Amino acid sequence: MFTYNYRLMHEPRMRAAVQACHRAGIGLTAMKTMGGGPVKSDSDTEVKMAGRFMQKGFSDYQAKLLAVWEDSRIASICAQMPNLTLLAANAAAAVGQVRLSQGDRALLARHAAETCGDYCAGCGELCSQGLSQPLPVSDVMRYLMYYRAYQDPGLARDCFAGLPGQVRQELARADFSPAEAACPRRLPIGQLMREAVNILA
Ligand code: SF4
């Protein structure tokens, strides 16, 4: 079971890894397929995408599922379905006859490229190594994702409250510039850590 979505599927190392697993006969279950992140920026492509998909009878949410499902190397998707609306949308996408066109996929890829800095890929070993003390940057990014992408402030705050008090204090005042320099997605880590302390504490 691995994190896989319309953003990560274009990265060369991910493509090679999926192909290697497929060749080795390893079943792959994708999770975090929506590609939500700690930042939610406005994107013209996202608006265009939503309009285009709606005309074709499905939502951008369903399109993101289809982008993963239509790859026969992916055996299944593990999706959180906290309400009946999402359950119905997932079921409709699973049994529907709709398929993404090349143009649909290109739009998803364009959106992924334009909003690259909205998404934390969870590669915490990269951003943590430049810090003078160990701080759980990728975990806090995930809590912000719960808050902003999943719109689940309760879960985000519960997770954040589980961090030791000393760590929460350091998140607000540490110098994250070495971590920002190491981040392949150029996330404004210091600003996001301070936002997390303000929003989630
Ligand atoms: S290096 Fe960037 S993308 Fe990777 S975990 Fe750290 S903040 Fe997220």
PDB file of all heavy atoms in Angstrom, residues 3 7 23 35 41 43 57 65 68 105 131 150 165-166 178 189 192:
ATOM      1  N   THR A   3       1.472   5.640  -1.204  1.00  0.00           N
ATOM      2  CA  THR A   3       0.886   6.916  -1.612  1.00  0.00           C
ATOM      3  C   THR A   3       1.055   7.081  -3.119  1.00  0.00           C
ATOM      4  O   THR A   3       2.177   7.020  -3.640  1.00  0.00           O
ATOM      5  CB  THR A   3       1.595   8.078  -0.882  1.00  0.00           C
ATOM      6  OG1 THR A   3       1.410   7.909   0.519  1.00  0.00           O
ATOM      7  CG2 THR A   3       1.025   9.418  -1.310  1.00  0.00           C
ATOM      8  N   ARG A   7      -0.480  13.384  -9.012  1.00  0.00           N
ATOM      9  CA  ARG A   7       0.744  14.192  -8.910  1.00  0.00           C
ATOM     10  C   ARG A   7       1.982  13.291  -9.001  1.00  0.00           C
ATOM     11  O   ARG A   7       2.869  13.506  -9.824  1.00  0.00           O
ATOM     12  CB  ARG A   7       0.777  14.922  -7.570  1.00  0.00           C
ATOM     13  CG  ARG A   7      -0.359  15.920  -7.374  1.00  0.00           C
ATOM     14  CD  ARG A   7      -0.234  16.564  -6.013  1.00  0.00           C
ATOM     15  NE  ARG A   7      -1.315  17.479  -5.733  1.00  0.00           N
ATOM     16  CZ  ARG A   7      -1.375  18.738  -6.134  1.00  0.00           C
ATOM     17  NH1 ARG A   7      -0.390  19.234  -6.857  1.00  0.00           N
ATOM     18  NH2 ARG A   7      -2.390  19.507  -5.824  1.00  0.00           N
ATOM     19  N   ARG A  23       6.414  -5.746 -12.547  1.00  0.00           N
ATOM     20  CA  ARG A  23       7.212  -6.824 -13.155  1.00  0.00           C
ATOM     21  C   ARG A  23       7.447  -7.959 -12.178  1.00  0.00           C
ATOM     22  O   ARG A  23       7.488  -9.130 -12.541  1.00  0.00           O
ATOM     23  CB  ARG A  23       8.558  -6.270 -13.626  1.00  0.00           C
ATOM     24  CG  ARG A  23       8.609  -6.007 -15.129  1.00  0.00           C
ATOM     25  CD  ARG A  23      10.046  -5.969 -15.638  1.00  0.00           C
ATOM     26  NE  ARG A  23      10.890  -5.143 -14.791  1.00  0.00           N
ATOM     27  CZ  ARG A  23      11.162  -3.864 -15.002  1.00  0.00           C
ATOM     28  NH1 ARG A  23      10.663  -3.261 -16.055  1.00  0.00           N
ATOM     29  NH2 ARG A  23      11.945  -3.191 -14.191  1.00  0.00           N
ATOM     30  N   GLY A  35      -4.337  13.474  -3.703  1.00  0.00           N
ATOM     31  CA  GLY A  35      -3.194  14.381  -3.860  1.00  0.00           C
ATOM     32  C   GLY A  35      -3.379  15.698  -3.135  1.00  0.00           C
ATOM     33  O   GLY A  35      -2.860  16.722  -3.568  1.00  0.00           O
ATOM     34  N   SER A  41      -3.897  26.463  -3.136  1.00  0.00           N
ATOM     35  CA  SER A  41      -3.824  27.725  -3.885  1.00  0.00           C
ATOM     36  C   SER A  41      -4.855  27.729  -5.015  1.00  0.00           C
ATOM     37  O   SER A  41      -5.302  26.678  -5.460  1.00  0.00           O
ATOM     38  CB  SER A  41      -2.414  27.927  -4.431  1.00  0.00           C
ATOM     39  OG  SER A  41      -2.056  26.856  -5.246  1.00  0.00           O
ATOM     40  N   SER A  43      -6.197  27.956  -8.690  1.00  0.00           N
ATOM     41  CA  SER A  43      -5.601  27.526  -9.954  1.00  0.00           C
ATOM     42  C   SER A  43      -6.658  27.605 -11.051  1.00  0.00           C
ATOM     43  O   SER A  43      -7.734  27.015 -10.934  1.00  0.00           O
ATOM     44  CB  SER A  43      -5.075  26.089  -9.805  1.00  0.00           C
ATOM     45  OG  SER A  43      -5.098  25.408 -11.023  1.00  0.00           O
ATOM     46  N   GLY A  57     -19.953  14.583 -17.006  1.00  0.00           N
ATOM     47  CA  GLY A  57     -20.773  13.801 -16.073  1.00  0.00           C
ATOM     48  C   GLY A  57     -20.038  13.241 -14.872  1.00  0.00           C
ATOM     49  O   GLY A  57     -20.539  12.334 -14.207  1.00  0.00           O
ATOM     50  N   LEU A  65      -9.632   9.737  -8.984  1.00  0.00           N
ATOM     51  CA  LEU A  65      -9.687   8.290  -8.731  1.00  0.00           C
ATOM     52  C   LEU A  65      -9.451   7.513 -10.022  1.00  0.00           C
ATOM     53  O   LEU A  65      -8.668   6.558 -10.059  1.00  0.00           O
ATOM     54  CB  LEU A  65     -11.060   7.888  -8.191  1.00  0.00           C
ATOM     55  CG  LEU A  65     -11.403   8.175  -6.738  1.00  0.00           C
ATOM     56  CD1 LEU A  65     -12.819   7.696  -6.454  1.00  0.00           C
ATOM     57  CD2 LEU A  65     -10.432   7.484  -5.793  1.00  0.00           C
ATOM     58  N   VAL A  68      -5.975   6.974 -11.336  1.00  0.00           N
ATOM     59  CA  VAL A  68      -5.221   5.883 -10.693  1.00  0.00           C
ATOM     60  C   VAL A  68      -5.792   4.529 -11.111  1.00  0.00           C
ATOM     61  O   VAL A  68      -5.055   3.604 -11.473  1.00  0.00           O
ATOM     62  CB  VAL A  68      -5.274   6.043  -9.157  1.00  0.00           C
ATOM     63  CG1 VAL A  68      -4.624   4.855  -8.461  1.00  0.00           C
ATOM     64  CG2 VAL A  68      -4.592   7.347  -8.744  1.00  0.00           C
ATOM     65  N   ARG A 105      -6.432  13.738 -18.952  1.00  0.00           N
ATOM     66  CA  ARG A 105      -5.190  13.395 -18.247  1.00  0.00           C
ATOM     67  C   ARG A 105      -4.178  14.544 -18.339  1.00  0.00           C
ATOM     68  O   ARG A 105      -3.467  14.834 -17.382  1.00  0.00           O
ATOM     69  CB  ARG A 105      -4.567  12.125 -18.843  1.00  0.00           C
ATOM     70  CG  ARG A 105      -5.355  10.893 -18.549  1.00  0.00           C
ATOM     71  CD  ARG A 105      -4.718   9.629 -19.104  1.00  0.00           C
ATOM     72  NE  ARG A 105      -5.409   8.489 -18.545  1.00  0.00           N
ATOM     73  CZ  ARG A 105      -5.171   7.985 -17.349  1.00  0.00           C
ATOM     74  NH1 ARG A 105      -4.221   8.499 -16.606  1.00  0.00           N
ATOM     75  NH2 ARG A 105      -5.862   6.976 -16.889  1.00  0.00           N
ATOM     76  N   LEU A 131      18.116  20.440   9.588  1.00  0.00           N
ATOM     77  CA  LEU A 131      17.694  21.156  10.797  1.00  0.00           C
ATOM     78  C   LEU A 131      18.644  20.883  11.959  1.00  0.00           C
ATOM     79  O   LEU A 131      19.216  19.798  12.063  1.00  0.00           O
ATOM     80  CB  LEU A 131      16.269  20.728  11.183  1.00  0.00           C
ATOM     81  CG  LEU A 131      15.183  21.049  10.149  1.00  0.00           C
ATOM     82  CD1 LEU A 131      13.843  20.463  10.579  1.00  0.00           C
ATOM     83  CD2 LEU A 131      15.068  22.563   9.963  1.00  0.00           C
ATOM     84  N   TYR A 150      -8.632  17.683   3.644  1.00  0.00           N
ATOM     85  CA  TYR A 150      -9.706  16.792   4.118  1.00  0.00           C
ATOM     86  C   TYR A 150     -10.802  17.584   4.824  1.00  0.00           C
ATOM     87  O   TYR A 150     -11.863  17.047   5.094  1.00  0.00           O
ATOM     88  CB  TYR A 150      -9.162  15.757   5.096  1.00  0.00           C
ATOM     89  CG  TYR A 150      -8.240  14.708   4.541  1.00  0.00           C
ATOM     90  CD1 TYR A 150      -7.663  14.818   3.273  1.00  0.00           C
ATOM     91  CD2 TYR A 150      -7.919  13.586   5.285  1.00  0.00           C
ATOM     92  CE1 TYR A 150      -6.808  13.852   2.788  1.00  0.00           C
ATOM     93  CE2 TYR A 150      -7.066  12.610   4.808  1.00  0.00           C
ATOM     94  CZ  TYR A 150      -6.505  12.744   3.564  1.00  0.00           C
ATOM     95  OH  TYR A 150      -5.645  11.780   3.101  1.00  0.00           O
ATOM     96  N   GLY A 165       5.076  19.042  23.867  1.00  0.00           N
ATOM     97  CA  GLY A 165       4.974  20.495  23.996  1.00  0.00           C
ATOM     98  C   GLY A 165       6.221  21.215  23.502  1.00  0.00           C
ATOM     99  O   GLY A 165       6.134  22.247  22.832  1.00  0.00           O
ATOM    100  N   GLN A 166       7.391  20.648  23.809  1.00  0.00           N
ATOM    101  CA  GLN A 166       8.659  21.256  23.399  1.00  0.00           C
ATOM    102  C   GLN A 166       8.750  21.335  21.869  1.00  0.00           C
ATOM    103  O   GLN A 166       9.190  22.338  21.299  1.00  0.00           O
ATOM    104  CB  GLN A 166       9.808  20.404  23.969  1.00  0.00           C
ATOM    105  CG  GLN A 166      11.194  20.751  23.486  1.00  0.00           C
ATOM    106  CD  GLN A 166      11.705  22.015  24.181  1.00  0.00           C
ATOM    107  OE1 GLN A 166      11.078  22.505  25.132  1.00  0.00           O
ATOM    108  NE2 GLN A 166      12.802  22.562  23.687  1.00  0.00           N
ATOM    109  N   PRO A 178      17.306  25.892   5.979  1.00  0.00           N
ATOM    110  CA  PRO A 178      17.997  24.741   5.356  1.00  0.00           C
ATOM    111  C   PRO A 178      17.001  23.697   4.844  1.00  0.00           C
ATOM    112  O   PRO A 178      17.229  23.070   3.810  1.00  0.00           O
ATOM    113  CB  PRO A 178      18.839  24.159   6.501  1.00  0.00           C
ATOM    114  CG  PRO A 178      18.872  25.199   7.569  1.00  0.00           C
ATOM    115  CD  PRO A 178      17.640  26.025   7.410  1.00  0.00           C
ATOM    116  N   ILE A 189       8.358  26.058   4.170  1.00  0.00           N
ATOM    117  CA  ILE A 189       8.192  25.210   5.356  1.00  0.00           C
ATOM    118  C   ILE A 189       8.034  26.036   6.643  1.00  0.00           C
ATOM    119  O   ILE A 189       7.143  25.770   7.454  1.00  0.00           O
ATOM    120  CB  ILE A 189       9.382  24.225   5.470  1.00  0.00           C
ATOM    121  CG1 ILE A 189       9.375  23.294   4.254  1.00  0.00           C
ATOM    122  CG2 ILE A 189       9.302  23.415   6.761  1.00  0.00           C
ATOM    123  CD1 ILE A 189      10.584  22.388   4.138  1.00  0.00           C
ATOM    124  N   LEU A 192       4.651  27.548   6.867  1.00  0.00           N
ATOM    125  CA  LEU A 192       3.616  26.534   7.100  1.00  0.00           C
ATOM    126  C   LEU A 192       3.668  25.984   8.521  1.00  0.00           C
ATOM    127  O   LEU A 192       2.625  25.697   9.122  1.00  0.00           O
ATOM    128  CB  LEU A 192       3.749  25.405   6.064  1.00  0.00           C
ATOM    129  CG  LEU A 192       3.340  25.806   4.648  1.00  0.00           C
ATOM    130  CD1 LEU A 192       3.762  24.757   3.633  1.00  0.00           C
ATOM    131  CD2 LEU A 192       1.834  26.033   4.572  1.00  0.00           C
TER     132      LEU A 192
END
